[in-house]
Amino acid sequence: MVLAVSDEDAAKGGAYVDELGITLRVGAGSPSAGAYKIPGYPSSALIGPGGKLLWQGHPSERTNGEIEAALKGAKPLPTSFLAFAPKAALEGRAAAQAKAIEQGRLAKAHAALTTLGADAKATEAEKTSATALLGEIDAHVAALVAAAERSTKNRDPQKAVAVYDALAKEFGPAPQGASAKSAADAIRKDPALAKELDAAEAFEKLRYSTAKLATAKRRDKFLEFADKWKGTK
């Protein structure tokens, strides 16, 4: 993963990112310059799979081959926010569900662990592990729902719907899925929130369509957008 960081605040840095059409992930207000003892700009740091600093210097000083060699063996991080790394001790057959959890296949893992917990042939260690993993899945889902509720309250229904739709798709008719689908439907039926959704979708299309335009033309397009979608966040 490539991450750009800046010590500028989000407002100032965000304007610069938008103006140049930068598509990298950018972290604002970062103290990393001091932590990494950055002598000047631009400066890059290569961090290995184990979190160890492998190299630091000017971006042009390393070739793609050297970077690939340094990162050999690194595993890609899960891209789904449903995925997480379980902390519970993995015993016997319960351990088989850890990979599913790490890949975001929570419904599959939840069903398998529930079955394992009720299996008379399961060992006490397996049942204990299954119960702990089920608790972690439920806690993760609850945290996602809480985040979606905050997004809705803050008039950012696009993020909320993304979470609810993912949970509804993953869990289907199960309680977690049915509840998420109901919440997503409620947002889409609310006139004010539905307008926010439409505005967010239109804004993403605008960002994409104006990425290669000159700054002045992009500014005009964004001003037109702001006038059309006045009243939305």
Side-chain angles (χ1 to χ4, degrees):
M1 179 180 76
V2 179
L3 174 67
V5 292
S6 170
D7 57 2
E8 302 282 7
D9 60 39
K12 188 172 183 179
Y16 181 76
V17 168
D18 289 340
E19 181 179 348
L20 296 185
I22 296 173
T23 57
L24 293 175
R25 294 182 180 183
V26 179
S30 172
S32 59
Y36 285 91
K37 297 180 174 57
I38 302 297
Y41 300 95
S43 182
S44 297
L46 179 61
I47 301 173
K52 182 180 179 180
L53 179 63
L54 302 177
W55 169 83
Q56 185 176 349
H58 192 280
S60 66
E61 294 176 356
R62 282 293 177 271
T63 66
N64 289 340
E66 290 173 323
I67 294 174
E68 290 173 1
L71 298 179
K72 185 177 181 180
K75 296 180 179 179
L77 293 172
T79 56
S80 170
F81 50 73
L82 295 179
F84 69 93
K87 299 177 181 178
L90 305 175
E91 301 290 344
R93 287 176 287 169
Q97 300 309 316
K99 186 174 182 180
I101 294 173
E102 291 172 349
Q103 294 175 340
R105 294 183 291 151
L106 302 186
K108 174 184 178 297
H110 199 283
L113 291 167
T114 300
T115 299
L116 178 60
D119 188 348
K121 296 181 179 180
T123 66
E124 286 304 314
E126 286 178 328
K127 290 183 178 182
T128 298
S129 187
T131 299
L133 288 172
L134 282 170
E136 288 193 37
I137 293 174
D138 291 339
H140 186 66
V141 170
L144 289 175
V145 170
E149 290 173 346
R150 288 194 297 272
S151 294
T152 303
K153 185 177 180 180
N154 293 332
R155 291 177 61 204
D156 193 358
Q158 187 181 34
K159 291 181 180 178
V161 166
V163 171
Y164 289 136
D165 283 350
L167 289 173
K169 181 179 179 181
E170 176 62 24
F171 286 95
Q176 301 95 324
S179 177
K181 184 179 184 304
S182 177
D185 289 344
I187 289 175
R188 291 187 170 101
K189 290 178 181 178
D190 182 286
L193 293 178
K195 186 176 181 180
E196 291 286 356
L197 281 176
D198 291 340
E201 182 179 349
F203 183 72
E204 289 304 315
K205 290 181 179 179
L206 177 65
R207 281 170 58 93
Y208 179 79
S209 65
T210 60
K212 296 182 179 180
L213 293 181
T215 301
K217 290 185 178 180
R218 290 186 76 232
R219 183 175 59 247
D220 291 342
K221 291 290 184 180
F222 278 96
L223 288 174
E224 291 176 11
F225 175 89
D227 185 58
K228 178 178 179 180
W229 294 99
K230 188 177 298 182
T232 61
K233 187 176 181 180

